[in-house]
Amino acid sequence: MRTRPSPPTRRSHRIRGARPRTAARLTATLLAAGALLVSACSPGNPATPAAGTVQAALAALPRSTPAALAPYYGQRLRWRECGAPGFECATMKAPLDYASPDAGTVRLAVARKKATGTAGRLGSLLVNPGGPGGSAVGYLQQYAGLGYPTAIRARYDMVAMDPRGVARSEPVKCLDGRRMDAYTQTDLTPDDRKERDALVEADRGFAESCGAHSARLLRHVSTAEAARDMDILRSVLGDRRLNYVGASYGTFLGATYAGLFPERVGRMVLDGAMDPSLDARRLNLDQTAGFETAFQAFAKDCVRLADCPLGGRGTSAARVGERLRAFFRELDARPLPTGDADGRRLGEALATTGVIASMYDEASWPQLREALASAMREHDGAGLLFLSDSYYERDADGHYSNLMMANAAVNCLDLPAAFSGPEEVEKALPTFEKASPVFGPGLAWASLNCAYWPVRATGEPHRIEAKGAAPIVVVGTVRDPATPYRWARSLAGQLSSARLLTYDGDGHTAYGRGSGCVDTAIDTYLLRGTPPAPGKRCS
C-alpha cells in the first residue's frame, strides 16, 4: 500500500491521533491513521541491531536557555478569533536552524481554547494527534477542544501547534492533486521489472518534487526540532512545565521532548506509543505484523455476520485472508469503476489503502464490510475509494492536504532509509510476507520511498530515558495495528519515570475509545497528577 514515506506508522506511517467520543470520531480516527504513514515509510537503518545492542540515549539539552534563543522564548503571541467560537489562533516564530538561530525563522500556527472553569486551573494542555503530518490545530478544533472530558477542558487551556512543515505551519509542498492521484495509484506489488521500475520512478519523482518545492524546509523538519519548538511554546504560554497528550507519532514527539527537557515535563500521556530505539526496517516490519493482527481480528468478527463478503460462519481467518488477496489480484488486473468525477478506478493500491485505513478502529469495520461487498459483489469500487481518500485526506475537488508530504519529510529526516534500493526490498519480501500474508509485500515496497530522498537523514535509532522527568503515562493497546503493543512496553522500559497503562482491546490508541477504565486512569492523572498503579490493565 502506498502509505508513503511511514505507520509510526512511517514512524507510526501516517502516523494520526487519539479517538473521539463524539461525531468527530471518524476525523480523529483517520488522524490517527497518520500512524499508518509512519509505518510504511518510516526511515531507518537497513538492518535491525543485534539483540542486546546498547544504543545511545538521547541527551538532555542544557537547562539554561542560550542567549541566541532568548528572543524566541520571550516573544508575545497575538491571539485572534478563529475557526469556531471560543478558539483563538496565533503565529509563533522559531529558528529555522537551532544551530544558527539568526539564520532565519519558521512561522508556526498555534491555536487554543481557554479553560472553561475559573477554579483550580492547571495551565495549558498541548495535544498532538500524530502523523507525522497530522494537523494538531485541526485536531484541537474538530475534536480535542470540544470532545475532551468536561473536567479536563474546565481546568486546562487546550492548546495545539502544527509542527514545522505541517498544515498551517509553513507546509512542505510536493505534488499537486493530479500527480498525487497518480502517485497513490502506483502499484506496490510489482509483478515484473517494468512495474518495479515504475514504482521506483514514482518514489523518485515524489522525492524530487519535494526537493524542488520545499528545499528551505526539508533539512529542518525533524522531530527533535519540533520538540524544541514545543519548549518555546511552553515558555511563551507562561507554563513552567509542559503538559501534553500525544497519540501515535505524537508519542515519539512527546518522548523526544522529555528526553531533551526532562526537568520541564509536567503531566504527559503517550498513547499508542512508538519505540525510538528501532530502525526503520524493524519499525515497518513490526507494523506490518500489527496490521495482520488487526486483520485477523476483523476476519473473525466478519465471518460471524451474514453480510460478510469474505466468507460465512466457520470460515477461518486464513481463508478470509486468501479471499482478500485474490480480490486484490483481480483489481490489479481489472480495476473497478467508482463513479469518480476525475475518472479514477479502484485498483489494488487504492483498495489496499482503504482496507488498511479501516484497521485503525473497529468502529470502521461495518463500513469496510459494506465497501468490500459493493466491490466484490456489485463491482462498485466507490466505497473503498472513499476510505482511501479519507486516509490520504483528499477532498471531492481532488485537493490533498500536505499530510503525506510532511509525513515523508519528517520520516526521511528522522532515520536513514529502510532500504537503499529495490534489490533490498526483494530480498526482504519473504520476511514481510511472513509477518502479514495480506499486507506484507505492499508494505515492504512502501518502505522504499526514503531511499531517494533529496536530504540525508540527521537522526538515528536511540533510547529515550528522560532521567529526572516527572511520571509519564505510556499507553499501549494489545491489538493496535499501527503501533504494536511491544513498542509501548519498550518505551515504558526506556523512560526512567514511565508508568505503563495497558488496554486489552482492538484499534489504534486507547484514550477516548470507550474504555471507562482507560479514560478514568488518564483523566485522574491529568487532573490530580496521580499515575495509574503499576501493571494497570484495562479492557
Side-chain angles (χ1 to χ4, degrees):
M1 102 164 250
R2 179 57 74 178
T3 39
R4 328 266 178 185
S6 201
T9 345
R10 219 140 201 100
R11 240 171 214 297
S12 200
H13 202 32
R14 194 176 306 241
I15 233 160
R16 300 170 208 184
R19 289 339 189 216
R21 301 175 171 81
T22 67
R25 182 181 183 93
L26 179 59
T27 298
T29 295
L30 290 175
L31 277 179
L36 174 66
L37 292 180
V38 168
S39 94
C41 100
S42 299
N45 293 333
T48 300
T53 298
V54 177
Q55 296 159 314
L58 181 64
L61 291 171
R63 295 193 179 194
S64 59
T65 301
L69 295 179
Y72 295 102
Y73 275 79
Q75 67 186 292
R76 286 190 151 189
L77 299 184
R78 296 181 179 180
W79 296 99
R80 62 188 184 280
E81 292 185 359
C82 66
F87 288 94
E88 300 176 304
C89 292
T91 300
M92 189 188 86
K93 293 182 178 180
L96 176 67
D97 183 354
Y98 276 92
S100 302
D102 298 328
T105 63
V106 60
R107 298 168 63 85
L108 306 174
V110 181
R112 75 176 176 187
K113 190 171 188 293
K114 287 188 176 180
T116 58
T118 57
R121 297 181 66 162
L122 296 169
S124 306
L125 180 63
L126 187 66
V127 296
N128 184 283
S135 172
V137 170
Y139 176 71
L140 176 73
Q141 294 178 338
Q142 296 168 26
Y143 169 60
L146 304 170
Y148 262 45
T150 301
I152 302 293
R153 291 183 288 113
R155 299 184 64 188
Y156 284 102
D157 290 343
M158 301 295 296
V159 179
M161 178 172 65
D162 282 348
R164 49 178 62 204
V166 173
R168 300 163 178 84
S169 293
E170 298 195 23
V172 169
K173 297 178 181 179
C174 303
L175 304 178
D176 61 19
R178 180 183 59 81
R179 294 184 66 194
M180 275 298 293
D181 277 347
Y183 185 58
T184 59
Q185 295 177 72
T186 305
D187 187 353
L188 280 177
T189 56
D191 300 314
D192 53 36
R193 180 62 178 265
K194 182 178 179 180
E195 291 185 351
R196 192 190 81 168
D197 290 347
L199 189 159
V200 168
E201 285 308 306
D203 279 336
R204 194 187 303 276
F206 182 89
E208 290 175 351
S209 179
C210 295
H213 292 97
S214 299
R216 174 179 178 270
L217 276 174
L218 287 191
R219 288 180 173 80
H220 300 291
V221 292
S222 70
T223 297
E225 289 165 311
R228 298 189 70 171
D229 296 341
M230 286 165 51
D231 196 56
I232 292 178
L233 178 60
R234 173 203 58 77
S235 175
V236 170
L237 293 172
D239 292 321
R240 188 172 64 88
R241 294 175 180 267
L242 181 78
N243 302 308
Y244 177 84
V245 177
S248 198
Y249 163 79
T251 67
F252 179 57
L253 180 58
T256 300
Y257 178 90
L260 295 174
F261 306 102
E263 75 285 354
R264 297 175 190 170
V265 171
R267 298 173 187 180
M268 179 173 284
V269 177
L270 306 178
D271 183 14
M274 292 183 58
D275 183 353
S277 72
L278 300 180
D279 62 36
R281 189 181 298 190
R282 182 53 185 268
L283 283 169
N284 293 340
L285 185 60
D286 282 358
Q287 196 173 50
T288 298
F291 280 109
E292 180 66 22
T293 297
F295 177 75
Q296 294 286 322
F298 164 76
K300 291 176 182 177
D301 178 75
C302 186
V303 298
R304 296 187 301 105
L305 305 169
D307 65 344
C308 181
L310 294 169
R313 289 184 180 276
T315 304
S316 68
R319 181 58 179 157
V320 170
E322 291 172 4
R323 290 179 176 177
L324 184 60
R325 292 199 304 277
F327 172 60
F328 287 158
R329 288 193 295 271
E330 292 174 8
L331 292 177
D332 191 28
R334 292 177 296 278
L336 294 178
T338 63
D340 177 60
D342 295 310
R344 291 177 302 155
R345 297 173 69 85
L346 183 76
E348 180 182 11
L350 293 176
T352 305
T353 300
V355 173
I356 284 185
S358 302
M359 294 298 100
Y360 282 90
D361 188 346
E362 67 272 24
S364 300
W365 292 355
Q367 185 177 10
L368 175 59
R369 289 197 306 272
E370 182 179 352
L372 284 170
S374 294
M376 298 175 75
R377 296 169 180 167
E378 302 169 20
H379 307 292
D380 179 0
L384 284 171
L385 180 64
F386 173 81
L387 291 171
S388 178
D389 283 350
S390 298
Y391 175 83
Y392 284 122
E393 292 189 356
R394 181 195 192 271
D395 65 24
D397 295 325
H399 300 132
Y400 289 78
S401 76
N402 92 310
L403 172 64
M404 294 305 297
M405 297 118 180
N407 183 271
V410 175
N411 285 324
C412 296
L413 195 61
D414 275 351
L415 290 173
F419 298 105
S420 63
E423 295 79 12
E424 286 191 357
V425 177
E426 289 175 337
K427 291 178 182 178
L429 283 174
T431 303
F432 276 78
E433 189 166 9
K434 181 178 180 181
S436 175
V438 178
F439 306 120
L443 289 175
W445 282 108
S447 306
L448 181 62
N449 71 315
C450 288
Y452 309 106
W453 204 244
V455 175
R456 292 180 61 86
T458 57
E460 60 184 4
H462 56 270
R463 293 178 295 107
I464 299 179
E465 298 174 352
K467 293 180 179 179
I472 297 172
V473 175
V474 176
V475 188
T477 298
V478 171
R479 290 176 295 281
D480 190 318
T483 51
Y485 178 63
R486 62 187 291 179
W487 291 359
R489 293 182 62 183
S490 178
L491 180 61
Q494 295 170 46
L495 292 169
S496 62
S497 62
R499 192 67 59 84
L500 178 63
L501 173 63
T502 297
Y503 173 48
D504 189 355
D506 297 291
H508 183 41
T509 73
Y511 187 42
R513 290 182 54 82
S515 169
C517 174
V518 169
D519 293 351
T520 297
I522 293 176
D523 292 346
T524 298
Y525 168 69
L526 290 175
L527 292 170
R528 301 178 188 173
T530 305
K536 178 75 172 178
R537 196 176 186 92
C538 294
S539 60

